[in-house]
Amino acid sequence: MEHIDGEIAAPPRLPPGEDRLSALPDDVLIHILLKLRDAAAAAQTSVLSHHWRRLWALLPELCFHPATGPQGIRAALESHEAPSLRRLAVEVIDATPESLAALLLIAAPRLSGDLQLINEVGQNQTDYEAAEAENGALELPCFENATSIRLDLGYLALAVPPLGVFAGLTDLFLAGVDLRGPCMLSDAASSLRCPALRKLTVHHARGRLANFAIHSDSLLEIDLKDLQVDGALGLGKFTIHSESLLQIELMNLQGIQELTVFAPALQMLNVIHCFAHGVTYNQPVANICAPQLRFLKWNEAYDPSSTQFGNMENLKLVATYPFFVYGQDTHRSQNSFCLRLIRHFELIRRLRFMLIYVPVSSFLYITRLPEITRLALDIYPNGHSFGASVFHVLGMCTGVKKLLFTLPSTPGQTKAQTACPSGCACDQPPNWKIQKLALNCLQEVQICELRGTEHEAALMKQLFDWATVLEKVTIAFHGSVPESKAKEFFQMLQSFSRPEICVKQVVAPLAENQAFLKRNAYRGFSKNT
């Protein structure tokens, strides 16, 4: 701007009718339209001028919201002029398989990036009711050049294509699907059909899933959760064969009868509630060949006569079936699953152990544990004293070097109890508070989600006495604990401590523990251990 007599002159006015925005290069205008993240809104800019009329049709990414509807989306795809699409995101409500198949057929030849399709179920229908109202299946065309496919269909029937190669596909995510058609999902996801697939995720699916058998030399991760199969026999045999696979997570798979895993490079295996089918529980039959396995979570029954783990010399962490500290005879068999698995190993570097307390009268003893160097205890006290049982567990693994306590909230729990019912056996034997326990290797303790109860204080007081070489204690309180109570409890812990011990409180939950929980206890306690 020019200065006239010390004043700033006003900017020159544009000639009437001049449109500087339209004068920008097309690639700049397209970049602006992409910021809308709404193909319908981008198309409405056609009214601005003749120059804008077809700009939206050149967008390399198209995002459609429910208001557009399948017919509008199909018309937009037919009018789209860009030679390829790097992203197509579609959200619809109560769409039919036929309407979705029509628009996917148009997109398949041009998509060279990500596909995301979400079919929301109307408020007056459940997912199952919506699925049963449709008899046809969405026939997925072959996306030869797509790199990522994510389908959440509200339990619409889905038929994977029997022919064609998804040559560029690296990530396949399916949720809320009812798998139909002549081609099995496991066949479609194997190396012949998906030679570049890195991650396979299937959640909340039903249909043709029995006798799942996948063979892939490109997969790095398999994540299968909440799968149901047609028929009364459950999922039957489940086979995974991969030279490249690094991580497997299987959770709530209905009625596996036999699990076979051959994965020489596998590092993480997580199996939770996969052998039950309704009220029937199949004795786990498993053959796991994973010599490089580092992290194992086996939340199933374990019998060495039917479950073979093979050579696992590199195993670093084991997470087990929950252990009922007090219980009836019905809990003894469940506890035996946990203890058999632990005793299968001579040395466990890190053990994730869940202790559950129920209103009972008898103590269920642990008689022997293997050598353990790092121990994570998830404690669900339900108002009971847990000092005696923790004393018993620690007495079985006195060589532990690092100890992590977590006191997660029990579902439905509103307020922590400070006293047990009269006659409860949870504080037995009572002399645990005066007995000696030599934890001469314990150097670090982390405690998460403290409530500041008397039971916690009693255990911590003894822990400072038992751990003669303790160097560091880090605590984090549960979010419901008032600041004043947390401060008072922390000062009490400091009074129990010795000068050489660093006692530290963190306001937020321990970052290390949060990562630990998110990874299902697979990452250890800290990066430098």
Side-chain angles (χ1 to χ4, degrees), residues 56 232 270 308 314 459 475:
W56 76 269
N270 189 350
Q308 305 297 321
N314 296 292
L459 176 61
I475 65 171

PDB file of all heavy atoms in Angstrom, residues 56 232 270 308 314 459 475:
ATOM      1  N   TRP A  56     -15.557 -29.707  -9.540  1.00  0.00           N
ATOM      2  CA  TRP A  56     -15.777 -30.758  -8.538  1.00  0.00           C
ATOM      3  C   TRP A  56     -15.579 -32.142  -9.137  1.00  0.00           C
ATOM      4  O   TRP A  56     -15.172 -33.084  -8.445  1.00  0.00           O
ATOM      5  CB  TRP A  56     -17.190 -30.645  -7.953  1.00  0.00           C
ATOM      6  CG  TRP A  56     -18.257 -31.150  -8.887  1.00  0.00           C
ATOM      7  CD1 TRP A  56     -18.953 -30.429  -9.811  1.00  0.00           C
ATOM      8  CD2 TRP A  56     -18.710 -32.499  -9.002  1.00  0.00           C
ATOM      9  NE1 TRP A  56     -19.819 -31.223 -10.505  1.00  0.00           N
ATOM     10  CE2 TRP A  56     -19.693 -32.506 -10.034  1.00  0.00           C
ATOM     11  CE3 TRP A  56     -18.400 -33.690  -8.361  1.00  0.00           C
ATOM     12  CZ2 TRP A  56     -20.349 -33.666 -10.419  1.00  0.00           C
ATOM     13  CZ3 TRP A  56     -19.055 -34.842  -8.742  1.00  0.00           C
ATOM     14  CH2 TRP A  56     -20.015 -34.843  -9.749  1.00  0.00           C
ATOM     15  N   ALA A 232     -24.776 -75.293  14.064  1.00  0.00           N
ATOM     16  CA  ALA A 232     -24.621 -75.623  15.485  1.00  0.00           C
ATOM     17  C   ALA A 232     -23.211 -76.054  15.862  1.00  0.00           C
ATOM     18  O   ALA A 232     -22.939 -76.270  17.040  1.00  0.00           O
ATOM     19  CB  ALA A 232     -25.602 -76.731  15.853  1.00  0.00           C
ATOM     20  N   ASN A 270      -2.711 -63.482  20.857  1.00  0.00           N
ATOM     21  CA  ASN A 270      -3.721 -63.156  21.851  1.00  0.00           C
ATOM     22  C   ASN A 270      -4.967 -63.984  21.538  1.00  0.00           C
ATOM     23  O   ASN A 270      -5.591 -63.796  20.493  1.00  0.00           O
ATOM     24  CB  ASN A 270      -4.040 -61.657  21.763  1.00  0.00           C
ATOM     25  CG  ASN A 270      -4.927 -61.178  22.894  1.00  0.00           C
ATOM     26  OD1 ASN A 270      -5.457 -61.975  23.655  1.00  0.00           O
ATOM     27  ND2 ASN A 270      -5.087 -59.881  23.003  1.00  0.00           N
ATOM     28  N   GLN A 308      -0.591 -77.605  22.287  1.00  0.00           N
ATOM     29  CA  GLN A 308       0.856 -77.679  22.085  1.00  0.00           C
ATOM     30  C   GLN A 308       1.375 -76.307  21.667  1.00  0.00           C
ATOM     31  O   GLN A 308       0.964 -75.756  20.652  1.00  0.00           O
ATOM     32  CB  GLN A 308       1.181 -78.709  20.999  1.00  0.00           C
ATOM     33  CG  GLN A 308       0.603 -80.099  21.253  1.00  0.00           C
ATOM     34  CD  GLN A 308       1.174 -80.740  22.513  1.00  0.00           C
ATOM     35  OE1 GLN A 308       2.363 -80.601  22.811  1.00  0.00           O
ATOM     36  NE2 GLN A 308       0.328 -81.466  23.232  1.00  0.00           N
ATOM     37  N   ASN A 314      11.994 -67.457  22.995  1.00  0.00           N
ATOM     38  CA  ASN A 314      12.085 -65.995  23.000  1.00  0.00           C
ATOM     39  C   ASN A 314      10.940 -65.330  23.757  1.00  0.00           C
ATOM     40  O   ASN A 314      10.818 -64.107  23.743  1.00  0.00           O
ATOM     41  CB  ASN A 314      12.106 -65.478  21.561  1.00  0.00           C
ATOM     42  CG  ASN A 314      13.320 -65.939  20.793  1.00  0.00           C
ATOM     43  OD1 ASN A 314      14.441 -65.527  21.085  1.00  0.00           O
ATOM     44  ND2 ASN A 314      13.123 -66.812  19.823  1.00  0.00           N
ATOM     45  N   LEU A 459      -1.296 -52.929  52.589  1.00  0.00           N
ATOM     46  CA  LEU A 459      -0.372 -53.639  51.706  1.00  0.00           C
ATOM     47  C   LEU A 459       0.878 -52.816  51.442  1.00  0.00           C
ATOM     48  O   LEU A 459       1.997 -53.344  51.479  1.00  0.00           O
ATOM     49  CB  LEU A 459      -1.070 -53.974  50.390  1.00  0.00           C
ATOM     50  CG  LEU A 459      -0.178 -54.626  49.331  1.00  0.00           C
ATOM     51  CD1 LEU A 459       0.383 -55.955  49.823  1.00  0.00           C
ATOM     52  CD2 LEU A 459      -0.947 -54.829  48.025  1.00  0.00           C
ATOM     53  N   ILE A 475       3.037 -43.833  41.794  1.00  0.00           N
ATOM     54  CA  ILE A 475       1.624 -44.126  41.996  1.00  0.00           C
ATOM     55  C   ILE A 475       0.760 -43.156  41.189  1.00  0.00           C
ATOM     56  O   ILE A 475       1.169 -42.028  40.894  1.00  0.00           O
ATOM     57  CB  ILE A 475       1.229 -44.058  43.482  1.00  0.00           C
ATOM     58  CG1 ILE A 475       1.376 -42.639  44.016  1.00  0.00           C
ATOM     59  CG2 ILE A 475       2.053 -45.033  44.301  1.00  0.00           C
ATOM     60  CD1 ILE A 475       0.801 -42.448  45.402  1.00  0.00           C
TER      61      ILE A 475
END
